[in-house]
């Protein structure tokens, strides 16, 4: 597979997305380590550090989804040694334990992080980025939050999501009904389809996959 030019190009694209989306921030002790198909992000357990990790992970998940790549992982609070040479500690193991092999393509949130944010006098909007997955009631990072709360009114600095939402809805629908996907891969896309449709249905403004599903279902 390493000699497959298309696969190499896809892998290089994903790695470039990782590098262009996230960068270490020494001022706030945000650290990143990438190896194989994994990326580890760590920061001090304080509002700004947690904000960097949660928002950075949300942006990364969105950027990868635009390349039809699904992201799965976990966020937890715990002791961690994270340097250029060493990556070790129970915090890493706790976060890694949320990354269930074969599970839905989501970033699960450990109870340790929920408790930490809940203990703050001001949650700085971070609790809004936590969502209960209706699939199995797991707390997850709400990576589609910006699509859920989107309204079409123009504002300075506001990102217009209408066109990108149409693109993503069509891509998700097409992946759900690709005949060459094994059942385990199709199950992940079907999970994402449900999540996407739940998110955009909140305000009913952005496009759902229902507008494309019939076309791709007929082709499968």
């Amino acid at each position: 597979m390493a000699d497959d030019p298309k696969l190499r190009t896809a892998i290089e694209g994903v790695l470039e997305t990782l590098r262009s989306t996230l960068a270490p921030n020494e001022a706030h002790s945000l650290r990143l380590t990438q190896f194989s198909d994994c990326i580890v992000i760590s920061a001090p357990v304080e509002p700004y550090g947690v904000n960097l990790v949660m928002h950075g992970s949300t942006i990364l998940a969105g950027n990868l989804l635009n390349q039809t790549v699904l992201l799965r992982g976990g966020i937890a609070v715990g002791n961690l040694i994270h340097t250029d040479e060493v990556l070790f500690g129970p915090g890493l193991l706790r976060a890694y334990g949320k990354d269930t092999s074969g599970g839905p393509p989501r970033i699960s949130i450990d109870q340790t992080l929920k408790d930490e944010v809940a203990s703050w006098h001001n949650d700085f909007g971070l609790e809004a980025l936590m969502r209960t997955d209706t699939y199995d009631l797991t707390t997850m990072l709400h990576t589609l939050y910006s699509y859920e709360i989107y309204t079409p009114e123009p504002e300075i600095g506001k990102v217009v999501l209408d066109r990108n939402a149409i693109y993503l809805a069509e891509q998700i629908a097409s992946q759900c009904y690709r005949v060459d996907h094994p059942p385990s891969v199709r199950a992940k896309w079907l999970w994402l389809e449900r999540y996407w449709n739940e998110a955009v249905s909140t305000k009913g403004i952005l496009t759902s996959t229902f507008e494309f599903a019939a076309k791709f279902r007929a082709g499968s």
Side-chain angles (χ1 to χ4, degrees):
M1 292 180 68
D3 294 326
D4 185 336
K6 290 184 178 180
L7 180 59
R8 277 204 310 274
T9 300
I11 292 173
E12 290 169 356
V14 170
L15 294 178
E16 178 57 32
T17 298
L18 292 175
R19 288 189 288 266
S20 62
T21 301
L22 300 171
N25 185 328
E26 293 298 330
H28 297 283
S29 299
L30 178 73
R31 294 186 174 275
L32 295 96
T33 298
Q34 180 267 318
F35 55 94
S36 184
D37 62 345
C38 299
I39 183 169
V40 178
I41 311 169
S42 69
V45 185
E46 45 83 22
Y48 195 75
V50 174
N51 179 76
L52 287 174
V53 171
M54 293 181 70
H55 277 94
S57 299
T58 298
I59 294 170
L60 178 59
N63 288 348
L64 289 174
L65 182 57
N66 272 288
Q67 296 188 43
T68 326
V69 176
L70 300 177
L71 181 65
R72 189 180 66 214
I75 305 177
V77 173
N79 291 328
L80 178 69
I81 299 174
H82 190 176
T83 69
D84 292 339
E85 294 78 28
V86 180
L87 183 58
F88 175 79
L92 174 64
L93 297 178
R94 186 173 291 124
Y96 183 76
K98 306 301 291 185
D99 180 13
T100 306
S101 178
R106 66 190 176 198
I107 301 174
S108 300
I109 292 179
D110 190 69
Q111 187 64 40
T112 52
L113 180 58
K114 291 178 62 179
D115 293 343
E116 179 66 30
V117 173
S119 72
W120 298 340
H121 177 68
N122 184 337
D123 71 6
F124 301 92
L126 295 179
E127 286 192 343
L129 290 178
M130 300 184 192
R131 179 182 192 272
T132 299
D133 186 355
T134 56
Y135 172 71
D136 60 3
L137 303 185
T138 293
T139 303
M140 57 180 271
L141 184 64
H142 195 354
T143 54
L144 297 180
Y145 179 66
S146 60
Y147 293 92
E148 181 177 74
I149 65 170
Y150 182 75
T151 57
E153 293 79 17
E155 297 176 19
I156 296 176
K158 181 179 181 178
V159 177
V160 178
L161 297 176
D162 304 69
R163 183 173 297 179
N164 190 238
I166 294 172
Y167 169 78
L168 289 178
E170 184 171 15
Q171 290 301 308
I172 293 169
S174 69
Q175 293 297 320
C176 286
Y177 301 104
R178 278 184 53 171
V179 295
D180 57 334
H181 276 335
S184 60
V185 173
R186 180 176 289 194
K188 291 179 174 62
W189 283 103
L190 288 170
W191 176 91
L192 183 62
E193 180 183 45
R194 177 183 51 78
Y195 174 28
W196 173 269
N197 289 334
E198 287 177 353
V200 300
S201 69
T202 300
K203 292 188 177 296
I205 294 169
L206 297 178
T207 306
S208 73
T209 66
F210 300 131
E211 297 184 30
F212 304 102
K215 177 179 69 173
F216 294 113
R217 191 181 294 119
S220 65

